[in-house]
Amino acid sequence: MKKELKVVPIKNGTVIDHISAGQALNVLRILEINAKNTRTSTRTSTRTGAAGGAVVSVLMNVRSKKMGRKDIVKVEDRELKSEEVDKIALIAPNAKINIIRDFEVVAKHKVFLPNSIEGIIKCANPNCISNAEQEPVVSRFVTVSGSRGGVQPRFRCFFCERLIEDVSGYL
Amino acid sequence: MFTKRHLISTRDFSKDEIDFLLSRAEELEKFARGREQGWGWGEGEGEREGEEESDLLKGKILANLFYEPSTRTRLSFETAMKRLGGEVLNLYSTETSSVTKGENLADTIRTVSGYCDAIVLRHPREGASRMAASLASVPVINAGDGAGQHPTQTLLDLYTLKKEGLLENLRIALVGDLKYGRTVHSLAYALALYGATLFFVSPEALRMPEEVKMDLRAAGTAEAEAAGAAGAGAGAGAEVFETSDLSAVVKEVDVLYVTRIQKERFPDPAEYRKVAGAYRVTRGLLKENEDLVIMHPLPRVDEIDAAVDGTKNARYFKQAFYGVPVRMAVLSTLLGAGGERRREGEEKQGASKNARGNRRNSGVGEEAPRTLRERTADDRERECYEQHGKDAARF
């Protein structure tokens, strides 16, 4: 019998599609989805599903007509809210969110860069006060420009005003 | 018009707000030297007698928190406060405070907020003043945060240029350490608001950071839009040239703004040695442009020859003096004792006094009273975000 590893459609939950190739794990990191908290997330979901925590499937480097290559993340039994998911526009500006109920897509939306981002990006300036361990300060970035025509979005540190473009190295 | 509670970065201010502070400084300059001093520069010389004294800030207390060395900034803030009848607390040696016991800046700010009406902060880390502003219950004035911003230095530089009649359509060369020099970062942005043509003169390794140049383009664009400018050049941002050759720009500019190459900012001493002494302004250089105005935020090391001090071109000591009226303007405005807003403040005076008394009695951490210009950190942050939103719209 031929063994096959297959990612099946999910019954309930969220599919994050069109993630820039290679960024799926960063998406999970930004959404704080990990082995420790998926159970809690599932329990607090409005559509509680399988006992024993949510199943998260990650597909990387999948062929895409639009993007060439893309990543996909599927989170079972958890419907992610826009304000939660918009944060991933930092690294996946083209991502699409699909809410699934009984195998049907019931809602679909794009991600939008929030005006400000707290606690996700670490400032690239080592001398920034937000990098001072002894200070009780959470990093905060303001979106200066969104991604347009392949141009990277740009963010400014609220504290030291340093600009940062490619945030993937500072998550 | 003036809606800021704190003074953290030049980028937080519009040209109108800067103009307001410069006008206020002109009004207050008569108090800057005090009654007894009979010497001065230029038109004011010998006219000190009979000048008024001021009690504009009587009963107010300023806390100077300096985590880095300072001569001009700290002393001119202290002079400004005292000339206007106020009092000053100083923390200028961290060795004699709880900082040596490991107290962080956040706790110090929360504590000192309860002892004073305004805080002046100099700190080696960029963004320290912004953080302090989010924690303090009184206005915070950034007196230099690492290699970041030094907005009151910028205001006094602009004031010097205004007094020289050079502020509008200026052609100016910023010379020296443009990478680590906080004064040039703040100043370049402000000059862009005034339509200046900027020449950046530095060694290759000390070029103006790209993000500052990006802000300059945006600043010029914003002002052009605000003024309703049209046609060629509108929205083009500040005109900027970069070179390593000082002699090439001397004939092209009205002002040389010279800066010290700051040894203390270099992570690698070997890198400092490569660029130390890269530029030197001498009398010989001035022969190429006899009307050239020489400015410097001071302290200097060897970038301006002492022989230049006595020339008609040198303005740097006069510039340092202007720190007093400019800081008077800043303090009186932020403390609600200035110009048109003083009248607004008087309307709220009773309520404000009572509220302040209540706050002091009930301890730091409770919501501060809100007068017309005393705004919460959230208000300020929202304004900051709005400004950033405008920036975003321009890209």
Side-chain angles (χ1 to χ4, degrees):
Chain A
M1 186 179 172
K2 187 182 174 185
K3 274 192 175 179
E4 190 175 15
L5 183 63
K6 191 174 172 184
V7 179
V8 297
I10 62 173
K11 183 180 180 187
N12 294 308
T14 306
V15 175
I16 308 171
D17 197 1
H18 293 103
I19 298 170
S20 314
Q23 296 295 346
L25 297 180
N26 280 334
V27 164
L28 294 178
R29 192 182 307 170
I30 289 173
L31 295 176
E32 296 178 356
I33 293 174
N34 54 48
K36 287 180 185 169
N37 68 12
T38 48
R39 178 185 291 266
T40 305
S41 301
T42 303
R43 224 174 18 237
T44 57
S45 167
T46 53
R47 295 182 64 81
T48 307
V55 174
V56 178
S57 311
V58 178
L59 290 83
M60 299 180 78
N61 227 23
V62 179
R63 285 186 198 281
S64 164
K65 283 181 186 172
K66 285 183 184 173
M67 302 173 68
R69 296 281 177 177
K70 67 176 180 179
D71 291 358
I72 301 171
V73 168
K74 298 183 179 190
V75 184
E76 292 187 37
D77 301 315
R78 182 176 170 191
E79 292 185 4
L80 296 169
K81 293 172 187 161
S82 287
E83 56 267 30
E84 286 180 275
V85 186
D86 278 348
K87 293 183 288 187
I88 70 169
L90 285 170
I91 53 164
N94 301 314
K96 305 276 191 312
I97 310 303
N98 300 285
I99 304 298
I100 314 291
R101 291 180 194 162
D102 291 327
F103 299 106
E104 297 290 330
V105 177
V106 296
K108 188 181 253 192
H109 58 88
K110 295 179 181 176
V111 292
F112 293 96
L113 269 177
N115 290 332
S116 67
I117 302 113
E118 286 193 29
I120 296 173
I121 310 172
K122 184 176 157 64
C123 184
N125 173 9
N127 202 43
C128 176
I129 195 76
S130 66
N131 286 324
E133 287 180 9
Q134 71 273 27
E135 302 296 343
V137 58
V138 176
S139 78
R140 187 184 306 175
F141 280 77
V142 177
T143 304
V144 175
S145 62
S147 60
R148 284 185 198 167
V151 177
Q152 292 259 29
R154 206 174 269 134
F155 309 94
R156 189 189 302 281
C157 175
F158 177 77
F159 297 100
C160 76
E161 303 187 357
R162 175 76 65 94
L163 284 169
I164 185 169
E165 288 186 351
D166 183 5
V167 300
S168 57
Y170 302 101
L171 295 173
Chain B
M1 178 182 59
F2 196 95
T3 57
K4 305 295 184 291
R5 183 182 180 223
H6 306 285
L7 183 56
I8 306 300
S9 167
T10 312
R11 295 180 63 261
D12 297 343
F13 290 83
S14 69
K15 183 169 176 280
D16 283 348
E17 287 172 325
I18 294 172
D19 281 338
F20 171 81
L21 288 170
L22 299 185
S23 296
R24 187 75 187 122
E26 272 189 316
E27 292 168 21
L28 294 171
E29 192 182 324
K30 61 189 173 196
F31 303 122
R33 289 191 185 91
R35 216 181 156 87
E36 303 301 324
Q37 197 162 297
W39 61 281
W41 293 274
E43 74 276 9
E45 193 163 2
E47 297 174 7
R48 304 271 77 82
E49 197 176 343
E51 283 182 349
E52 301 170 59
E53 289 178 343
S54 174
D55 60 356
L56 203 57
L57 296 180
K58 189 176 180 184
K60 301 286 187 185
I61 297 173
L62 175 70
N64 269 337
L65 306 186
F66 279 72
Y67 288 72
E68 278 191 327
S70 169
T71 300
R72 275 152 293 276
T73 305
R74 186 178 61 80
L75 292 181
S76 62
F77 262 115
E78 188 161 349
T79 302
M81 194 67 188
K82 288 180 173 174
R83 292 279 196 225
L84 293 180
E87 294 174 64
V88 182
L89 308 174
N90 275 300
L91 186 159
Y92 45 80
S93 167
T94 52
E95 291 167 8
T96 59
S97 71
S98 288
V99 175
T100 51
K101 299 175 187 171
E103 182 168 66
N104 62 20
L105 177 64
D107 286 359
T108 303
I109 292 295
R110 290 187 185 109
T111 303
V112 175
S113 281
Y115 302 156
C116 65
D117 299 287
I119 292 171
V120 172
L121 176 66
R122 173 169 289 185
H123 196 274
R125 279 193 178 265
E126 286 95 70
S129 291
R130 185 77 78 189
M131 184 195 77
S134 69
L135 298 168
S137 55
V138 296
V140 173
I141 301 166
N142 183 4
D145 57 339
Q149 295 276 327
H150 193 353
T152 59
Q153 177 69 45
T154 295
L155 288 171
L156 76 88
D157 293 339
L158 296 175
Y159 187 69
T160 306
L161 293 167
K162 184 180 181 183
K163 297 288 279 188
E164 298 292 331
L166 292 168
L167 189 50
E168 301 290 341
N169 301 314
L170 174 69
R171 293 172 68 82
I172 183 170
L174 307 184
V175 182
D177 178 2
L178 307 186
K179 181 179 180 182
Y180 298 110
R182 58 191 168 204
T183 60
V184 287
H185 298 167
S186 294
L187 180 60
Y189 182 82
L191 288 171
L193 299 179
Y194 286 87
T197 302
L198 303 165
F199 296 77
F200 295 155
V201 184
S202 71
E204 193 72 40
L206 296 177
R207 286 267 190 260
M208 188 66 87
E210 192 54 42
E211 60 234 46
V212 177
K213 287 188 274 187
M214 194 184 304
D215 275 346
L216 298 184
R217 291 190 283 271
T221 305
E223 286 308 307
E225 285 169 358
E239 200 172 1
V240 173
F241 300 92
E242 276 190 314
T243 179
S244 300
D245 185 0
L246 176 59
S247 62
V249 304
V250 167
K251 289 179 183 170
E252 300 290 326
V253 298
D254 307 306
V255 176
L256 277 189
Y257 188 94
V258 187
T259 63
R260 176 174 65 97
I261 295 182
Q262 304 172 92
K263 188 177 182 180
E264 67 273 21
R265 304 270 178 230
F266 280 76
D268 182 357
E271 291 302 310
Y272 169 74
R273 285 193 291 275
K274 283 182 192 170
V275 292
Y279 301 107
R280 189 168 170 81
V281 176
T282 62
R283 275 177 176 260
L285 189 78
L286 297 179
K287 285 177 186 169
E288 295 179 41
N289 182 351
E290 291 183 354
D291 296 324
L292 193 62
V293 168
I294 310 293
M295 293 172 64
H296 193 303
L298 303 176
R300 68 173 156 179
V301 181
D302 57 1
E303 57 276 8
I304 299 178
D305 193 297
V308 175
D309 296 356
T311 67
K312 63 172 187 174
N313 312 83
R315 296 289 193 289
Y316 28 94
F317 293 115
K318 193 173 181 179
Q319 181 187 353
F321 161 71
Y322 286 144
V324 179
V326 163
R327 286 168 177 133
M328 283 178 163
V330 168
L331 290 167
S332 62
T333 302
L334 294 181
L335 288 169
E340 63 201 55
R341 272 162 305 285
R342 188 185 184 189
R343 287 191 290 278
E344 293 171 356
E346 283 167 356
E347 290 168 14
K348 295 271 179 179
Q349 198 173 18
S352 178
K353 271 185 178 175
N354 291 339
R356 177 150 187 84
N358 290 341
R359 181 174 64 82
R360 284 197 157 166
N361 291 337
S362 58
V364 178
E366 294 187 17
E367 187 176 359
R370 296 187 61 191
T371 66
L372 286 177
R373 290 175 304 97
E374 250 185 325
R375 302 166 81 81
T376 66
D378 282 344
D379 286 336
R380 197 211 54 69
E381 188 178 325
R382 196 174 304 117
E383 286 160 9
C384 177
Y385 286 147
E386 284 169 4
Q387 183 57 46
H388 282 297
K390 289 176 192 168
D391 289 346
R394 289 195 289 273
F395 279 86

